[in-house]
Amino acid sequence: MHINVSQQLTEPVGSVRSYKVSEIIDVIGDGNGSMVQGEVSLIRTNRGILAKGALHTAVKVTCSRCLSLFDCPLAINIEEEHFPITEVSSGTAVPLPEEPSGFTIDEHHILDLTEAIRQNVLLVIPMKPLCHEDCAGLCPECGHNLNQGSCGCLPQRMALRWAELSKLASISDISANKRKGIK
Ligand SMILES: [Zn+2]
Ligand SMILES: [Zn+2]
């Protein structure tokens, strides 16, 4: 998302411009574009331009439980100051302030929002994404995706458990009977 801010850089501090964002951006660098939508305000500061906005997108991520790929919706709030590297009137180089983020406006006075969007997306991607809150996950026995129905392992395991339990039960029956003096 490129915005030419040469005009705004000549305006007084506090001048605001609003832009609608609707663009496909490769936000997680996997070669797949994600539609990013929302609104961004550019505010002239004494040092550059503050980009502030609320955006939303969806990125393809792997469910941490069932390992399927799904579109994870994300809300992004951006508030990043961008600093010009050249003076707009004279064209001379401007020393950059020592900021850890250090987003820049290039020598053609183009503010590229892509990097700010990308960095903020990375902050909000969940560590353990879930395709659904109640994702059933994979069967620990056969790896079947349990969201697509049962695989048959669970009833089998239950049956085994019951068999063991009933064995135990019959043993305790015998000992109980012994105590009661029946055989
Ligand atoms: Zn899942
Ligand atoms: Zn199974």
Side-chain angles (χ1 to χ4, degrees):
M1 170 105 193
H2 298 103
I3 303 169
N4 189 322
V5 292
S6 55
Q7 194 63 42
Q8 198 179 3
L9 282 171
T10 65
E11 291 169 9
V13 170
S15 83
V16 181
R17 300 203 175 186
S18 293
Y19 296 88
K20 280 225 178 317
V21 179
S22 181
E23 202 168 282
I24 292 172
I25 299 173
D26 180 9
V27 279
I28 51 173
D30 64 351
N32 288 314
S34 297
M35 184 50 125
V36 178
Q37 286 179 306
E39 242 179 61
V40 169
S41 295
L42 299 188
I43 303 145
R44 177 74 167 110
T45 63
N46 56 348
R47 301 184 299 177
I49 296 220
L50 176 69
K52 207 174 160 180
L55 303 165
H56 57 92
T57 186
V59 295
K60 278 232 179 311
V61 293
T62 306
C63 174
S64 60
R65 237 179 248 168
C66 72
L67 308 180
S68 63
L69 268 182
F70 70 101
D71 285 315
C72 180
L74 300 172
I76 325 154
N77 284 304
I78 282 182
E79 192 165 346
E80 304 288 356
E81 198 170 6
H82 291 66
F83 307 105
I85 60 167
T86 49
E87 177 75 44
V88 77
S89 46
S90 63
T92 53
V94 182
L96 285 176
E98 284 173 25
E99 295 272 314
S101 66
F103 295 106
T104 54
I105 300 165
D106 75 6
E107 65 272 27
H108 307 293
H109 317 298
I110 302 295
L111 187 155
D112 184 1
L113 270 181
T114 313
E115 198 46 39
I117 291 173
R118 208 179 270 153
Q119 289 194 15
N120 282 278
V121 161
L122 295 181
L123 290 178
V124 294
I125 290 182
M127 297 280 278
K128 290 192 168 176
L130 285 180
C131 63
H132 305 98
E133 222 173 287
D134 53 355
C135 168
L138 299 177
C139 168
E141 307 283 319
C142 72
H144 174 80
N145 186 342
L146 295 172
N147 296 311
Q148 295 159 7
S150 169
C151 53
C153 296
L154 195 60
Q156 240 178 60
R157 265 167 76 193
M158 293 286 272
L160 278 171
R161 285 277 288 286
W162 276 115
E164 277 166 34
L165 281 175
S166 53
K167 241 187 260 167
L168 287 176
S170 55
I171 290 168
S172 64
D173 273 354
I174 294 165
S175 49
N177 288 344
K178 265 186 190 157
R179 250 177 290 151
K180 279 185 209 154
I182 309 167
K183 192 183 170 213

